[in-house]
Amino acid sequence: MLELSLCGAELLLRDGLMRADLGISGGRLTGTGMGRRIDLSGFRVLPGIVDLHGDGFERHLAPRRGAMKDLSAGLASAEAELAANGITTAYLAQFWSWEGGMRGRDFALRFLRALRDYRGTGTDLRAQLRFELFMLDDYGDFEATVAEYGVAYVVFNDHLPHDALNRGKRPPRLTGQALKGGRSPEAHLAMMKELHRHMTGVAPAVAGLAQRLGERGVALGSHDDDTAGLRRGWHKRGVTIAEFPETQAAAAEACGLGDAVVLGAPNVVRGGSHSGNASAADLVRDGLCDALASDYHYPAPRQAALILSQEVGLEKAWALVSEGPARVLGLTDRGVLEADKRADLVVLDGEGRIGATIAGGRVTYLSGAVAERFLG
């Protein structure tokens, strides 16, 4: 473990930027410097990024169609990208879906085994499981898997194209989705129709599953709520995290109920939703956001926080990618630069580029002028 004293940098503390020393010892932050001194004058030290939902790891596990045989190599590649983007805690959002392929049950089990056995460089890698509601035959296996692998965060999804199926229309992207799942388009469509047919059985099934998981302390989220009523329904089931609400009304309802709102950082970076949903930046301005997540692009949390800092200030903006997400999932040992917290931090240069990432007191990324300071 590192024994270091970071000196001369501006630290992002709860009360804003302050020039002070920061120590690292035994994987924890210390209020006084100890060990080797590193002069970081001219740089800023901020809390490490806590990413509550990211599926960018998928391309590392399957650089071409079909997953790698050795998933640990893909996880190592994903961890390197996470570290290069200042992410020190990452929830890898893995599907358990009727879509099949890398989003199916069998691959989810492979992924969980690989993640359990993976020994990384320091980034705290955790699993989020995204469960498709209409897979009624999978409820028992899914619940048992959550318990076996100690999954602490489950998000309920419904990606069935109900409108198209109700109208008897061919769903969009059917052929591409079928091929990814290893099925013919005809078989894929027949499967979706069969799942859609069991609409009435879903509500009581998911209510029971949510209750049992909640009683075991699993954090529960819903995905893409588009109405206030839908969010109220999830809240009544004990599902108290709203991931990527699609409308201002759904986000406002979540906040009014005391639920957490997680928005997509790429939405901020792009200047709006790619699918025409609510603007994440607007929701942040309205006070309707507790955390920003990478969603599908790991550079986005840092980029979004720096963009928002120009309007709401660095302290408030960076909290949306550090302290805020840590609070959402009850990670009380990280998210801020305070003594005795986990030594998770990012060093930024004057242009906002990452020069170093330290996770759990271990250097996971080092580059440029900051590397010269560490190695000099």
Side-chain angles (χ1 to χ4, degrees), residues 34-47:
M34 57 194 309
R36 180 169 171 244
R37 294 174 63 84
I38 308 294
D39 178 13
L40 290 179
S41 300
F43 297 97
R44 289 178 173 178
V45 177
L46 297 82

Side-chain angles (χ1 to χ4, degrees), residues 52 91 126 219 241 323-334:
L52 296 189
Y91 283 80
R126 302 181 177 215
I241 300 172
E323 184 178 8
R327 186 187 304 115
V328 168
L329 289 185
L331 303 177
T332 59
D333 64 341
R334 67 198 72 188

